[in-house]
Amino acid sequence: MDSHHSYSQVKGVSTGVSNLFIKSYVSSKTINKLIQVHDRIFCCIAGSLADAQAVTKMAKFQLSFHSIQMESPPLVKAAASIMRELCYNNKEELQAGFITAGWDRKKGPQIYVVSLGGMLLSQPFTIGGSGSTYIYGYVDAKFKPDMSLEEAIQFSTNALALAMGRDNVSGGVVHLVVITEAEVKHVVVPGNKLPKFHDE
Amino acid sequence: MSSIGTGYDLSASTFSPDGRVFQVEYAMKAVENSSTAIGIRCKDGVVFGVEKLILSKLYEQGSNKRIFNIDRHVGMAVAGLLADARSLSEVSREEASNFRSNYGHDIPLKHLADRVGMYVHAYTLYSAVRPFGCSFILGSYDEDDGPQLYMVDPSGISYGYWGCAIGKAKQAAKTEIEKLQMKEMTCRELVKEVAKIIYIVHDEVKDKAFELELSWVGEVTKGRHELVPKDIKEEAEKYAKESLEEEDDSDEDNM
């Protein structure tokens, strides 16, 4: 999930990968699904990870070229648009969705959802993945615009912990990326260090 | 700096012994035969003015435009072979549109100037085609980057400017432009000065009637490139004509 507050972004992903077929199997509990496509722009990936990796690899290349041509860091919207073009034009073959988020000089922190078929939508915060269904109520109730950085990190961590607590294929480790104008911080929180709620 | 390039000027793919590509230089001469177009960048926008010579009384007023809309926020004023200019305006439109389609936001003007410049340059490389016989001035306004002005010539090179002129009276126009303090002016003030400059450089003897085409893009138009509204244009033309009369009067006094 993603949330942004007045001057920076917090992206959080909990990983648990399950096999597409009937026998559920977690191939890894610790993979990082936060891919960096530029200095201050990251993508959360979902769906077929092979497709998602292929798309982000292509997007990273196109974005890098675009940024050099523009002689300035790319806009988050530009990164999201590149992802959208790739998803939309190849929708028959691909099965991957993304949350593209980051910081740029023009509009500050932004979050864009690029869905499976190639829809592009800007949001103040967003959640995705199998565990997200369990936390819609929580995030809708608890989200406030213009949170401070600490509040945003706490909000994300709580939401992920709750989802991991209920979804059988979510769990393992939480990867958090905090993106600000000044820096990018990658924080890894193991499952046992997450906040505990009722029933745990 | 005219010289005949006999033998080395038949195709754009040939250099002369002194390192010039004559076809490109001849293309620039084609621009110099056309009537003047100027573009000036001020504090909060860009204003274009074109001296559109009327060759026949039967022309419909306002037809044969020399200022084009390339994108919502970009305008282009041209001089030279109009057919070439129209084709390049289509190319610019496609570039701007593709950029928006791929990257989701307005094309930065420098990038557009570079891309169209690259296209123009491509036609200076081969003997199978001739270079474009037109120069054009691109202008835009954006809240974050402010006003921008670029000029592209037939060689494909582009420079950023605070003020530039192309066409037959470009030298005279440049002199007038240099007198202005455009960095401190607003679009409303500048519109009148642009009209005045076009009136000043217009040669009454050689070219009789002309129509003034004025357009602007800036804070005053909320970032959209548009033709200057009729009332403001009339006010600007009135100012231009009055300034000319004043100068005539003062010349008479001096005599």
Side-chain angles (χ1 to χ4, degrees), chain A residues 179-196:
Chain A
I179 307 169
T180 55
E181 179 181 357
E183 59 166 3
V184 165
K185 238 179 5 178
H186 189 169
V187 180
V188 178
V189 186
N192 54 4
K193 298 276 192 326
L194 286 173
K196 291 202 184 328

Side-chain angles (χ1 to χ4, degrees), chain A residues 62 66 69-71 75 77-78 81-82 84-85 105-106, chain B residues 99 101-105 108 110-111 115 118 142 144-145:
Chain A
Q62 285 187 9
H66 170 70
Q69 271 190 324
M70 295 294 116
E71 292 172 2
L75 299 184
K77 187 154 195 202
S81 295
I82 291 175
R84 185 268 317 274
E85 286 295 293
R105 204 183 45 99
K106 197 161 174 168
Chain B
F99 185 95
S101 182
N102 286 330
Y103 302 108
H105 64 93
K110 178 164 199 307
H111 187 63
R115 295 286 296 181
M118 258 201 282
D142 171 66
D144 300 299
D145 304 322

Side-chain angles (χ1 to χ4, degrees), chain B residues 115-135:
Chain B
R115 295 286 296 181
V116 186
M118 258 201 282
Y119 187 89
V120 169
H121 169 252
Y123 282 73
T124 67
L125 297 170
Y126 310 104
S127 56
V129 292
R130 64 161 175 82
F132 284 95
C134 64
S135 286

